[in-house]
Amino acid sequence: MNSYKQELIPYVKLYSSKLQLMKTIYVLGYNNLGADFWESHLTFNEENRVLFFRNGTSMLKHLQHQPDLIIVDDYFCEEPPEDHNFADVKIGLGIMASHIPTFFFSPKFSGKARKSLKMKHYYSSLDSSMLEFLNKRIVDLSIEKVAA
């Protein structure tokens, strides 16, 4: 092996280890208000890759990349008629991503926060205790990746 390739090996290993530590979070919000809200209320760091989706169809198509956590925001929601609505996305995630921690936020769940018994899915309105729990879950993802 020539010396040029040997010099690159440490950098390749460092880049590879950073990719393994990086966690991917999908956020589905049907408007721009959601992206601004989540950016200011969640604990993201340089090891987070956060992808914001404005429609359910696009997010469901990207599930093949296996995010570490999913947030579905149904507040101020105006789904285009050709898009998957909140109920469709909920069913799709139940089928394709039951193993991925998923947080569904909707005014429909006001006072009725719950966790699915069969899946890692949480249903809640936006309240401070659930946001605190979600932030803790994001931090826990980093710890899980480092320990793995």
Side-chain angles (χ1 to χ4, degrees):
M1 186 183 300
N2 65 31
S3 65
Y4 174 72
K5 287 183 180 178
Q6 287 178 332
E7 290 175 20
L8 287 178
I9 289 175
Y11 296 106
V12 171
K13 286 181 179 177
L14 176 65
Y15 180 74
S16 175
S17 67
K18 282 192 175 267
L19 282 179
Q20 290 174 357
L21 293 176
M22 184 183 294
K23 56 190 176 283
T24 302
I25 300 168
Y26 286 4
V27 178
L28 169 61
Y30 292 91
N31 57 52
N32 288 331
L33 293 172
D36 294 340
F37 174 84
W38 294 113
E39 284 180 346
S40 65
H41 285 82
L42 293 180
T43 309
F44 298 131
N45 62 37
E46 63 195 35
E47 294 172 358
N48 297 124
R49 188 174 85 171
V50 182
L51 300 176
F52 290 95
F53 295 91
R54 297 231 14 234
N55 67 66
T57 304
S58 179
M59 190 204 59
L60 290 173
K61 286 181 181 176
H62 281 83
L63 283 178
Q64 65 190 359
H65 300 294
Q66 294 294 305
D68 297 294
L69 188 133
I70 300 170
I71 299 167
V72 180
D73 178 359
D74 190 40
Y75 279 85
F76 307 108
C77 175
E78 291 183 24
E79 301 127 348
E82 69 280 356
D83 190 23
H84 290 295
N85 63 27
F86 183 77
D88 294 337
V89 169
K90 199 165 100 172
I91 292 167
L93 290 172
I95 294 168
M96 297 184 286
S98 62
H99 61 289
I100 298 171
T102 303
F103 292 80
F104 295 93
F105 291 100
S106 174
K108 299 170 192 157
F109 303 126
S110 183
K112 306 176 203 168
R114 65 184 176 90
K115 179 186 184 294
S116 170
L117 297 176
K118 296 180 183 178
M119 300 178 273
K120 295 181 176 183
H121 291 185
Y122 303 86
Y123 306 90
S124 178
S125 59
L126 279 172
D127 64 36
S128 59
S129 63
M130 187 52 82
L131 288 174
E132 187 177 310
F133 177 72
L134 175 57
N135 275 314
K136 181 182 178 327
R137 187 69 188 114
I138 290 171
V139 170
D140 289 348
L141 282 173
S142 294
I143 294 168
E144 289 169 11
K145 292 241 175 192
V146 170

